[in-house]
Amino acid sequence: MAKPSFSTPLGMVDILPDETPTWRALEQIIHEEAAKFNFQEIRTPILEPTELIKRGVGQLTDIVTKEIFAFKKGDTHYVLRPELTAPVVRSFVQHHLDQRGGVQKLYYIGPMFRAERPQKGRQRQFHQFGLEVVGSADPVADIETIAFMMRIYERIGIENFTLKLNSVGDPESRERYKNVLKEFLEPHRAQLSELSQQRLDKNPMRILDSKEPEDQEFITKAPIIQDYLNEESSLHFEQVKNGLNTLGISYILDPYLVRGMDYYTRTAFELSSPDLGSQDALAGGGRYDLLVEEIGGKPTPAVGFAAGMERLLIACEELNISLTDPTKLDVYVVSLGNAARQWALGCLPTLRAHGLSASMDYSGRSMKAQMKEANRELARFTLIVGEQELQDEQFVLRDMEQSTEIKKDLSALLRIIYQSFK
Ligand code: AMP
């Protein structure tokens, strides 16, 4: 019978032991910076009701029409979450988080799922970190959201990027603009891509997002939304730009930036990196003042962003940025013979109780093999015990950096070890 052979599902990867330290370092940076901004973490389930994602992300978006992993259990339809804005807003509404008072400044880190065609920087299970500021219409919320996003890349040392900024207006401005855009595109309907033809009836602004070659000519000639913003949206946009200027965050204005989700209002932004190849979007976000109500809450303004963690790590690789130091083992206890192995085993908790990492051989190997392993694990010290050492109650401590050895009783050696880690 052939041996069974299994591998990860298409577009999904294992994060292997050599990679997890980098992931944890990145997560740590996000937690630390979030704390400095006084944001609080939120964790929601991997599964969400299909209807929430349809409503929250938008019926016509690529995510909903093509990319959700969906299944039914009993009478309930579920999806693997493709993003976290709608779920966070669901949680905000479900738990009446507005009653905690003030503005909810929530951040998250976790896996998302989209059934896209996998390629470098595009997976079917990938990770995002992001932020949702719920309950503030103030431009300061937009500015702080962008500032937090930028801070993460700045701290890591990724500086080669472009921040694109746009305002997609409020409902009144959008309605005006949609009509103008539709009027402009209608005479060219037959020349537009099939998808854009559908969008022309349902959501003409999404046509600006199209990558289809046949649409480009019309997109570049189309009227731009800035000319149709009402006074309030225009003022809001000015204040966001001024705030970014004050913080020294540079951006370029992109009137065609509409973003993939339907829920955006006013501010929209995207961060891209030339170091990433074809999947060059690092992060994106914007204001979504209509979403909370759409999901069943009271009208509540909000703004947020989501950033791809795999792409951030690809950029780090391209730029030779390492987020970790090689992990070092503090003490490896080398033992020979059964009694010495028992002694070594008993020694580990003592070392660990002092906050040190400590390990020993798990396979009954020779002394030489154990020393080799200690080297591979970059052990700072080896503590060596055999029959003779047990009898004499004198053990050998080898300083692996200095290549020196001393023989003393255990408490003397422990003092030396603890001293050197102070
Ligand atoms: P979005 O939620 O589509 O605005 O995506 C936000 C960020 O998540 C993007 O800028 C990417 O960095 C990342 N991202 C989105 N889709 C994927 C994917 N399929 N694989 C890896 N990263 C992704």
Side-chain angles (χ1 to χ4, degrees), residues 114 116 121-123 126 128 259 261 281-283 306-308 311:
R114 296 182 193 174
E116 297 186 89
R122 193 160 75 192
Q123 295 176 187
F126 60 100
Q128 288 184 334
R259 309 261 316 126
M261 285 68 151
L282 277 174
R311 293 198 193 165

Side-chain angles (χ1 to χ4, degrees), residues 32-259:
E32 283 173 16
E33 293 303 320
K36 291 182 200 165
F37 277 72
N38 196 26
F39 299 145
Q40 289 180 299
E41 189 185 7
I42 184 163
R43 302 186 189 194
T44 62
I46 300 293
L47 299 185
E48 289 286 348
T50 304
E51 197 47 36
L52 168 76
I53 300 300
K54 283 190 172 165
R55 264 179 180 262
V57 179
Q59 298 277 1
L60 290 181
T61 55
D62 284 352
I63 291 182
V64 167
T65 54
K66 297 189 255 178
E67 296 167 4
I68 42 177
F69 284 102
F71 67 95
K72 192 174 166 208
K73 183 93 184 150
D75 287 333
T76 313
H77 294 264
Y78 299 95
V79 292
L80 297 181
R81 61 191 199 185
E83 57 100 60
L84 226 59
T85 302
V88 168
V89 169
R90 182 221 16 89
S91 184
F92 172 89
V93 174
Q94 179 180 342
H95 302 288
H96 309 285
L97 294 186
D98 53 332
Q99 288 175 8
R100 298 169 82 218
V103 176
Q104 302 307 306
K105 298 157 62 176
L106 308 169
Y107 78 99
Y108 59 81
I109 301 176
M112 311 295 154
F113 304 83
R114 296 182 193 174
E116 297 186 89
R117 197 172 50 78
Q119 63 182 87
K120 186 169 165 119
R122 193 160 75 192
Q123 295 176 187
R124 292 186 156 194
Q125 177 174 345
F126 60 100
H127 296 77
Q128 288 184 334
F129 67 94
L131 168 70
E132 312 296 347
V133 179
V134 190
S136 170
D138 195 301
V140 165
D142 310 44
I143 297 160
E144 279 270 281
T145 298
I146 296 174
F148 173 66
M149 177 180 85
M150 303 303 276
R151 173 64 195 139
I152 301 293
Y153 296 94
E154 180 193 57
R155 170 153 167 197
I156 289 170
I158 299 174
E159 281 158 2
N160 191 13
F161 47 56
T162 310
L163 175 63
K164 290 187 199 156
L165 185 69
N166 190 23
S167 172
V168 293
D170 58 11
E172 187 192 278
S173 316
R174 278 162 84 114
E175 210 40 50
R176 274 206 296 168
Y177 176 62
K178 270 185 195 171
N179 291 333
V180 176
L181 186 64
K182 210 169 161 183
E183 252 169 53
F184 169 81
L185 290 170
E186 194 58 63
H188 310 291
R189 177 184 279 270
Q191 291 144 277
L192 293 174
S193 66
E194 205 182 306
L195 188 60
S196 291
Q197 291 189 24
Q198 287 171 24
R199 285 176 171 163
L200 190 52
D201 297 315
K202 295 180 180 144
N203 190 353
M205 276 176 72
R206 285 294 316 284
I207 295 176
L208 301 177
D209 210 20
S210 162
K211 299 280 174 285
E212 304 296 327
E214 60 263 50
D215 296 333
Q216 299 312 312
E217 179 191 344
F218 304 105
I219 293 173
T220 49
K221 287 185 191 149
I224 60 170
I225 186 151
Q226 269 69 55
D227 297 333
Y228 298 90
L229 294 181
N230 61 17
E231 210 179 311
E232 284 163 354
S233 283
S234 207
L235 179 67
H236 186 93
F237 196 33
E238 283 311 308
Q239 288 171 322
V240 171
K241 287 189 279 186
N242 288 340
L244 294 179
N245 295 341
T246 305
L247 294 180
I249 295 174
S250 30
Y251 53 85
I252 55 170
L253 296 177
D254 179 353
Y256 305 115
L257 177 69
V258 286
R259 309 261 316 126

